[in-house]
Structure formats: structure tokens, C-alpha cells
Amino acid sequence: MSLKERDKKHLWHPLKQHQLQPESVAIVKAKGCILIDEDGNEYIDAISSWYTSMFGHCNDYIIEKAYQQMQQLDQVMFSDFTHQPAVELSEELIKILPKGQNKIFFNDNGSTAVEAGIKMALQYYFNRDEKRSVFIAFEDGFHGDTFGAMSVSGLSVYNGPFEEFLIDVKRIPTPDGNNHIDILKQLQLFTSTYKIAGFIYEPLIQGAAGMKIHNAEGLNEILKFCKANHILTIADEVMTGFGKTGKHFASDYIDTKPDIICLSKALTAGLIPMAITSCTQNIYEAFLSNEMAKGFFHCHTYSGNPIACATAIAAIELLQSKNIQDNIKVIAKSHKVFSDLIKIHPKVKSTRQIGVIFTLDLNTKMERYGDLRDKLLKFFMDRGVFLRPLGNTIYIQVPYTISKSELQKIYDTIEDVLEIV
Ligand SMILES: *Cc1c(COP(=O)(O)O)cnc(C)c1O
């Protein structure tokens, strides 16, 4: 029996209505930008397996570094112990993180990185005997699927059944270059009515909302307001981190730097799950006390796993290499050429691009998980390209190591799909 058939017996997949979508494609191998299924079909991974495998799948350098670490130290508790990969990773990360970040806290995934960020902000005020319990977040943001992360997320398809159990969040629209005066007024009202602990945001680009890009100056005004009103700022760079926007972090485009940053996805080049919540010295110091209970009692068993840390160090090394930095520029340029070509097509409503992320909205009604999406997905897969449309939004986020011909094939396939929508 095929893997695809055996899968159906005991497995439960995420983000799926199994009654309507019983099938999953069984992947048996991945190398570079190519995924290979059990029947030998090849697919170009045009979204880097959810923005993780940015240096290509099964990258030789990453694997070598992980293997070396496996022979040295596999796992040790990070409460009471420390180790070289964690120390070295913290040093390397602080060198490239936006100004002000000084402490590195380990988590297992993007949601728990956000969860820890939210808890840091709440306890920061608790430790100072000041009760603040409300958060501000953007409409249509996505920050993960644990309770705190769900609370600050604004996409109801994920949160519907849990709404009554969530923490209190006030929402603001994303800045579009014209609305920030109104947003600041709204923020003023919120701060005079509620005790606001923090503002969480996906800087510059909202991934799950459909790769929506907002205005950097407007965001900067919001962040300046937060700083002036002691609202802690949490940048969720889980998607944007590590080069995708053309700079190492999306926060590098914005003058006002966050207090807390959440990282995951490309952190370990797609090899091992790990996440980080980093913060400023000021946040960290609010947890220093003679009382044990003022420490941060948030821990995951695999916190700071040495193999994951070694992998992350190797990924940061690759990110900073001339080769990868050049590739990022080449891909961005190539996206620009494609964008200029395709945006005048009658089936295309609009295109947008930042760094290696290219997005196209079709001239059709938005339906996040509907027939059109399934039709697009099938067309792409039949053509050997893995793209995962969000409703009528098609986006590309390719590994930095993609070849010119692979990239061209993705563009050609998108051009062809316009004929069937
Ligand atoms: C994917 C994502 C998360 C959640 O990360 P998981 O590892 O899936 O828990 C949080 N925030 C953003 C911006 C993301 O893109």
C-alpha cells in the first residue's frame, strides 16, 4: 500500500478538513528546491516549506554542522546547564539583531516564541507591581495557534471556537501611508481607557493575511507612540526574519526598534524546530530580584537544544555569506521584472514585492479555503510547482539557493494558471 493510503489510517493533519480533503502527497526526498513524492514526481518548493528551508532542503553545510554537533552533545537541560552552541548562537544573533536586543530566550516554535513574548510583557508589569493586561494588535495579524498567540491573531478561521477563552486584545488597522493620524487617535483612546501591556505586530508584511505589506513610516509612528506610552513592542519576525525582506530583519527597515523579537521558521534552515524570543536589557532586568517568583518561569523541555543551536549558527553563517546575499538581490531583481510583466494581465488585480517575497492577487473574490484555491493548488502540483495560494492570493517565497531555470518555471506556471481562472 502507498504511503498516501497508509497515512489515512492513523494520521491527523493540520489545517485540513479531512472529510473534504482526505489526500496528502507523500514526500520521500528533498534536495535543494526540489521535493520528490513516492511516485517519483518532482515539485519545486516555491514557498520553502513555509519559509523555513531558505538555504535549500538537505543543505550539505547545514547537515555537516548538525552531524558534527550530534557526535559531541545531543541534548542537555537548559535549566542549570549551558553549552557552546547556545553561547555561540547568542553571540552571533546579537551581532545581527536590530539595535537594543541583548538577551536570547529559547522556545520550540513560532507560537511559543510569541507566547513567551506576551508573557514577558505581562510579567514585566506584574514584577513592577503595575497591572497591565490588554494588548494591541493589527487586524488580520497571525501570530500562531497557542492561546496567547491566538488571542493576538486576527484571522477568525483559526480562532472561532476559542474566542471566549482569549486574552483581551484591541485591534488597529495596518498603516497605509494615509491613515496613521487616525490610528494614533485610536491608540490614544485605547491608552486612556485600558491598561495596555504591549503591542504585537508582524513588521512590514503580514504573512498569513496574504503577504500584505504596510507602510514603514506609519508603523514607525505607531511604535514611537508605544514607546512614549510605555507600551512594550513585540515584533513577530517569525516569518520575516533572516533575509526574506532583503534585509536580515524587517525591523531593519523601521527606525524605532522593538523591545521584544520573536524568531523561528528560517532560524534553523528548516532542519530542526526551534524558536527564540529576544529582548532588551531593560526587559530582562525587570525579572531580576531576590524573589524567585519574579524570574521567568516559562520552559520547554528541549529549550536550547544543542543540535538546533549548531544548525542555527550555520544558517546565520550562510545568511551572511556573499553568495547568499548576492542571490537575494538577484531573486529580488528577477521578481521585479516578472511583476512588471504580469501586473498588466487582466486577471491580475495587483502585485507586491519585498526581497524574495513576491505576491499576486487575482481579480476574483477572496475566499481563503475555497474551490478556487483547490483548483490553483492542483494546477500548480500537476505542473511540478508547489505553491500554496491563500484564497485568491498567490505568493512566492523561494529558497535563496534557487536556480534561474527553477525560478523561471515558477513564473511560467503562474502565467499559465491565469488562463484557467
Ligand atoms: C508561522 C508563524 C507563527 C507561528 O509559528 P509556528 O512555528 O507555526 O507555531 C507566528 N507568527 C508568524 C508571523 C508566523 O508566520
Side-chain angles (χ1 to χ4, degrees):
M1 221 197 305
S2 66
L3 287 173
K4 205 161 131 171
E5 284 309 310
R6 283 162 61 197
D7 168 276
K8 289 179 192 164
K9 193 160 179 209
H10 298 300
L11 289 173
W12 187 348
H13 291 264
L15 304 183
K16 226 173 172 18
Q17 172 47 267
H18 277 270
Q19 188 163 314
L20 301 172
Q21 309 161 300
E23 304 275 313
S24 296
V25 181
I27 298 297
V28 293
K29 190 175 168 58
K31 187 73 188 169
C33 299
I34 301 295
L35 303 170
I36 304 170
D37 75 12
E38 64 181 330
D39 300 319
N41 299 311
E42 298 193 357
Y43 310 93
I44 300 173
D45 187 355
I47 65 162
S48 307
S49 285
W50 263 332
Y51 345 128
T52 57
S53 308
M54 297 310 292
F55 306 99
H57 288 274
C58 298
N59 180 293
D60 291 337
Y61 185 68
I62 300 281
I63 290 176
E64 185 196 315
K65 290 293 178 180
Y67 183 58
Q68 281 173 7
Q69 184 56 45
M70 271 178 211
Q71 294 167 306
Q72 183 70 28
L73 171 66
D74 53 355
Q75 163 68 0
V76 66
M77 289 165 58
F78 205 62
S79 167
D80 304 319
F81 291 102
T82 192
H83 49 76
Q84 178 160 351
V87 171
E88 212 176 295
L89 175 58
S90 69
E91 292 165 353
E92 292 308 313
L93 258 180
I94 294 300
K95 279 186 213 159
I96 61 167
L97 276 171
K99 202 163 148 266
Q101 297 298 300
N102 198 43
K103 289 285 170 182
I104 301 294
F105 186 88
F106 289 108
N107 301 286
D108 293 352
N109 56 62
S111 304
T112 54
V114 166
E115 208 72 23
I118 289 171
K119 286 172 72 175
M120 278 179 191
L122 290 172
Q123 194 179 340
Y124 173 90
Y125 281 110
F126 179 89
N127 283 357
R128 294 157 54 115
D129 289 324
E130 190 181 338
K131 194 169 182 305
R132 293 195 182 207
S133 55
V134 179
F135 281 83
I136 293 171
F138 281 139
E139 289 160 3
D140 294 340
F142 177 74
H143 300 286
D145 292 336
T146 51
F147 272 86
M150 262 199 299
S151 302
V152 288
S153 298
L155 290 167
S156 59
V157 58
Y158 294 89
N159 300 346
F162 313 104
E163 227 159 82
E164 63 182 298
F165 311 107
L166 303 180
I167 56 178
D168 196 3
V169 177
K170 305 297 163 200
R171 295 198 188 277
I172 53 171
T174 48
D176 60 12
N178 300 309
N179 62 353
H180 70 263
I181 303 289
D182 289 338
I183 297 175
L184 292 182
K185 270 190 211 149
Q186 211 172 334
L187 283 173
Q188 192 70 55
L189 187 68
F190 286 152
T191 33
S192 56
T193 320
Y194 309 103
K195 302 259 182 249
I196 313 275
F199 166 54
I200 183 161
Y201 60 105
E202 292 165 271
L204 275 195
I205 175 156
Q206 293 182 297
M211 299 292 161
K212 290 212 181 102
I213 298 175
H214 53 259
N215 178 266
E217 289 82 37
L219 177 56
N220 194 47
E221 291 304 312
I222 295 170
L223 294 174
K224 269 167 43 190
F225 177 93
C226 291
K227 297 265 160 174
N229 289 278
H230 307 288
I231 295 168
L232 299 179
T233 52
I234 307 173
D236 179 354
E237 294 238 19
V238 170
M239 195 276 288
T240 48
F242 305 103
K244 287 124 173 194
T245 62
K247 299 198 187 227
H248 289 346
F249 301 96
S251 294
D252 294 337
Y253 285 94
I254 300 146
D255 287 342
T256 308
K257 304 303 179 196
D259 299 301
I260 295 170
I261 299 181
C262 310
L263 303 166
S264 186
K265 296 207 163 112
L267 171 66
T268 57
L271 194 74
I272 297 175
M274 186 168 76
I276 278 168
T277 310
S278 68
C279 70
T280 60
Q281 186 66 17
N282 175 45
I283 303 277
Y284 173 73
E285 282 177 7
F287 292 75
L288 300 178
S289 165
N290 291 328
E291 293 170 53
M292 273 303 279
K294 286 203 169 171
F296 193 46
F297 280 78
H298 177 108
C299 177
H300 299 290
T301 310
Y302 280 92
S303 290
N305 172 262
I307 302 165
C309 289
T311 308
I313 296 166
I316 291 173
E317 225 177 292
L318 288 183
L319 175 69
Q320 293 179 285
S321 68
K322 182 170 178 329
N323 182 24
I324 292 294
Q325 285 301 314
D326 287 348
N327 287 2
I328 290 174
K329 290 192 191 90
V330 169
I331 295 166
K333 221 181 251 172
S334 158
H335 281 351
K336 172 90 176 58
V337 173
F338 178 60
S339 175
D340 287 343
L341 180 94
I342 205 80
K343 72 182 170 200
I344 49 175
H345 193 287
K347 299 271 180 64
V348 176
K349 188 159 135 207
S350 59
T351 62
R352 52 193 172 274
Q353 188 215 329
I354 182 166
V356 303
I357 308 171
F358 168 82
T359 311
L360 173 160
D361 286 342
L362 293 169
N363 234 337
T364 55
K365 200 168 113 287
M366 171 67 178
E367 201 182 344
R368 198 174 178 82
Y369 288 102
D371 292 346
L372 173 65
R373 175 200 178 266
D374 294 347
K375 190 170 152 187
L376 295 172
L377 194 63
K378 181 170 185 315
F379 181 91
F380 292 140
M381 290 299 273
D382 288 348
R383 290 283 297 265
V385 175
F386 174 49
L387 281 162
R388 192 173 183 279
L390 294 162
N392 62 345
T393 298
I394 299 168
Y395 69 95
I396 308 174
Q397 195 173 133
V398 288
Y400 305 138
T401 50
I402 196 163
S403 72
K404 219 174 149 187
S405 61
E406 286 167 333
L407 192 52
Q408 191 55 48
K409 182 169 174 185
I410 299 171
Y411 295 148
D412 292 345
T413 308
I414 291 178
E415 223 180 314
D416 291 346
V417 89
L418 296 176
E419 304 309 318
I420 65 141
V421 298

